[in-house]
Amino acid sequence: MGKKDKRKFKPTKRQLIAGIVVLAAVATALYFIFRQRPQPEVYPTVVVETVATENVEIYGEYVGRIRAQQFVEIRARVEGYLEKMLFEEGTYINKDQVLFVIDPKLYKARADGARAQLQKDKALELKAKRDLERIRPLFEQNAASQLDLDNAIASYESAVSAVIMSEADLAQAELALGYTTVRSPIAGYISERNVDIGTLVGPGGKSLLATIVKSDTVRVDFSMTALDYLKSKERNVNLGHQDPTRGWNPYITVTLADDSVYPYQGLVDFADPQVDPQTGTFSVRAEMPNPDHVLLPGQFTKVRLLLDVHEGAVVVPSKAVIIEKGGAYIFVIRPDDVAERRFIELGPETDNKMIVERGLIPGERIVVEGYHKLMPGMKVEIVEPATAPSAADTDNDTEE
């Protein structure tokens, strides 16, 4: 019995195989648990935008000056002492309203004298006519000589001429008398008077009495460069001429002194046909409504002119365009999310957008943020603009 207990345990072949299998399983499990897992490949994140088309308005900005539609100087046309002023300074004046009265006594006397002379000449004309009517039958009966007839005809014709001259003198005297009552030729706002009551006005004295401004509609004058003119001609835009075939016409808006935009627009109705050789510019004019008289003649203002409208133009954000010595290019994302460098031909820039004349087609995806991390042919990870990392976050990730 004691000898049997002292014998060594000897595993069987099956037990050895089972032990090896268990050890192998444990080793395999430990390998998968503690092995170093491969890091997933990280692609640069970019924000993309789909290329679209829109109607792009191209503007030019200039310095303009407001000018009244009509500016009339009220002047004394006859000499005399100013007797009356029949208006309030700075008020609205109607057309033909009486403004001033110049002493009319002298001119009334001249008109009365001319009228009396006309009456005298008409009486002489009537006498000469009757004398001629008496002489003619006598001449036909050989009771009067040819000389008597010729004298009668000459006297009558001279009397007719005298009447015509007296009528002209009377018309001139009455016209001068009418000038003593100074009326407004237009409706508008009148300035302060330039002379006082009792002042000698007219040819020998002060002639400018006041000024009247009609500013219900104003004109805006500004100058454009010859380059702007050539660009507009390239697009078949003739400034100063309305084109019924277009859906738009060149118009302007102005900025007031408080940097607010005036609510009305003005149409360009004139462009100077020649360029000023000293400045290299040409004058342009636009008419603008001014019903509330907010725009004052003489003031300067900023003018924004619609130069052109690119209809259906391909536009991209200005921040997406990279400009180098070799030209301008943009990163386009292919359908397999691979970045491609695409050289483009640019047009005008407006409102932080650039028109692309060639190189892009609508519907393509372009990189608007994150292009500084890209190389051509690199695969990218696209994120929505709302979840896109900021520039600071991107720089921190790069440093780490």
Side-chain angles (χ1 to χ4, degrees):
M1 189 74 179
K3 292 182 180 180
K4 188 176 182 180
D5 293 335
K6 292 180 180 180
R7 284 186 305 176
K8 293 183 180 179
F9 174 75
K10 185 178 182 181
T12 63
K13 185 177 182 180
R14 181 177 297 175
Q15 289 174 335
L16 287 175
I17 294 173
I20 293 172
V21 171
V22 171
L23 290 175
V26 172
T28 303
L30 292 176
Y31 170 76
F32 282 102
I33 291 174
F34 295 105
R35 69 169 180 162
Q36 186 177 3
R37 297 181 181 179
Q39 294 293 328
E41 188 174 357
V42 179
Y43 301 115
T45 58
V46 295
V47 179
V48 301
E49 186 175 296
T50 302
V51 177
T53 60
E54 60 183 70
N55 296 338
V56 180
E57 297 178 341
I58 306 300
Y59 292 91
E61 294 188 354
Y62 313 95
V63 176
R65 185 174 64 88
I66 306 299
R67 179 163 56 94
Q69 186 183 29
Q70 286 183 284
F71 180 86
V72 177
E73 294 181 339
I74 307 299
R75 293 183 177 273
R77 304 179 69 175
V78 294
E79 186 177 78
Y81 290 98
L82 194 65
E83 279 194 346
K84 297 179 183 178
M85 184 186 75
L86 304 175
F87 66 91
E88 292 185 10
E89 297 168 310
T91 59
Y92 187 82
I93 300 299
N94 295 315
K95 184 178 181 181
D96 293 329
Q97 180 176 333
V98 178
L99 304 177
F100 299 94
V101 176
I102 301 172
D103 185 5
K105 298 183 186 68
L106 175 63
Y107 300 97
K108 187 176 184 303
R110 289 177 180 176
D112 292 342
R115 190 176 295 105
Q117 183 65 41
L118 176 61
Q119 293 298 326
K120 178 182 177 181
D121 291 337
K122 283 185 176 181
L124 294 175
E125 178 194 14
L126 181 59
K127 180 182 180 299
K129 180 179 180 182
R130 288 173 179 174
D131 290 343
L132 178 60
E133 290 175 348
R134 282 194 301 268
I135 293 295
R136 197 181 297 278
L138 293 176
F139 173 78
E140 293 174 354
Q141 297 174 6
N142 294 323
S145 66
Q146 180 69 44
L147 179 60
D148 294 334
L149 178 62
D150 292 343
N151 289 337
I153 293 173
S155 297
Y156 175 69
E157 291 178 349
S158 178
V160 171
S161 298
V163 169
I164 295 174
M165 183 176 294
S166 295
E167 288 176 343
D169 290 341
L170 177 60
Q172 185 175 4
E174 288 180 339
L175 187 62
L177 177 60
Y179 287 156
T180 61
T181 300
V182 182
R183 299 177 181 272
S184 174
I186 63 170
Y189 285 88
I190 193 166
S191 69
E192 64 177 354
R193 68 178 186 271
N194 291 340
V195 293
D196 294 324
I197 302 300
T199 304
L200 179 65
V201 297
K206 292 184 177 181
S207 62
L208 181 60
L209 306 180
T211 56
I212 296 179
V213 174
K214 180 177 175 59
S215 57
D216 295 336
T217 300
V218 295
R219 290 172 176 167
V220 184
D221 298 323
F222 57 97
S223 296
M224 295 179 58
T225 63
L227 180 60
D228 287 340
Y229 174 78
L230 292 175
K231 289 182 178 179
S232 64
K233 293 295 289 185
E234 290 176 358
R235 300 283 298 175
N236 295 321
V237 178
N238 294 318
L239 295 173
H241 299 277
Q242 306 299 320
D243 189 349
T245 62
R246 280 199 312 262
W248 63 276
N249 280 300
Y251 68 86
I252 69 164
T253 56
V254 299
T255 303
L256 302 179
D258 59 356
D259 290 333
S260 63
V261 178
Y262 186 62
Y264 296 96
Q265 296 177 346
L267 284 177
V268 175
D269 64 349
F270 170 77
D272 200 324
Q274 60 182 359
V275 174
D276 186 342
Q278 295 182 349
T279 62
T281 62
F282 66 101
S283 300
V284 183
R285 183 188 70 198
E287 281 200 354
M288 178 170 288
N290 189 30
D292 301 323
H293 301 95
V294 174
L295 302 177
L296 300 177
Q299 74 179 115
F300 288 90
T301 184
K302 297 178 184 178
V303 176
R304 196 166 186 252
L305 169 64
L306 177 63
L307 293 172
D308 194 9
V309 176
H310 291 250
E311 298 178 352
V314 175
V315 294
V316 298
S318 301
K319 64 181 181 179
V321 180
I322 303 102
I323 300 178
E324 295 181 350
K325 293 183 179 180
Y329 66 91
I330 201 167
F331 277 103
V332 178
I333 303 302
R334 300 197 309 235
D336 57 356
D337 293 344
V338 173
E340 170 191 342
R341 179 185 294 174
R342 182 85 57 82
F343 283 91
I344 55 177
E345 181 179 337
L346 295 176
E349 180 179 6
T350 177
D351 295 333
N352 296 321
K353 293 182 179 181
M354 302 190 77
I355 296 177
V356 178
E357 302 288 355
R358 292 184 181 85
L360 283 179
I361 59 175
E364 289 188 303
R365 298 180 299 170
I366 60 172
V367 178
V368 295
E369 292 183 26
Y371 60 78
H372 61 283
K373 301 177 290 185
L374 299 181
M375 294 292 292
M378 182 181 293
K379 194 175 182 64
V380 300
E381 179 182 351
I382 298 172
V383 297
E384 297 296 329
T387 61
S390 63
D393 295 339
T394 305
D395 294 341
N396 293 335
D397 294 342
T398 305
E399 292 176 0
E400 291 176 0

